[in-house]
Amino acid sequence: MDESTAPDGDRIAAQRSLRGVLEWLWEAAAEPVLTAMSTTPGGPPGPDAGEPLPRVWWVPGGLMGLLPLHAAGFHTDPGAGPPRRTVMDRVISSYTPTVRA
């Protein structure tokens, strides 16, 4: 059955599953990296108003290379104030297959 004819229940379940993966990816990989990069003790970097976002070059290894690190985060969080818990709101992401590349 193609996506255009899938029942709403299947679509909603797929969205819930994807949201769970992106939230896990934030907690397991992205947030620790962004916290380590932070110049502010105690939290991941968040751009000041009017400041450009920093660039991060992701070099995922193994199966991690199949996951969308740039999309990691809690996208359904209410706007509780900056910085949001999403990679896209904090950095500009790029990928490279190896550090040497």
Side-chain angles (χ1 to χ4, degrees):
M1 172 182 319
D2 71 79
E3 191 174 300
S4 64
T5 61
D8 282 345
D10 291 347
R11 180 182 51 80
I12 291 168
Q15 288 174 343
R16 186 177 303 121
S17 178
L18 179 58
R19 189 171 43 251
V21 169
L22 294 177
E23 290 172 357
W24 170 83
L25 193 55
W26 169 261
E27 291 177 337
E31 193 269 340
V33 169
L34 296 180
T35 297
M37 290 175 44
S38 178
T39 57
T40 306
D48 293 327
E51 292 290 319
L53 294 174
R55 180 172 295 277
V56 172
W57 287 88
W58 298 104
V59 189
L63 294 176
M64 193 66 125
L66 300 174
L67 297 171
L69 288 164
H70 66 278
F74 287 80
H75 296 277
T76 57
D77 276 358
R84 289 191 53 191
R85 295 188 302 165
T86 65
V87 171
M88 291 186 274
D89 288 319
R90 295 172 186 241
V91 297
I92 297 172
S93 295
S94 295
Y95 290 88
T96 185
T98 64
V99 174
R100 184 172 228 184

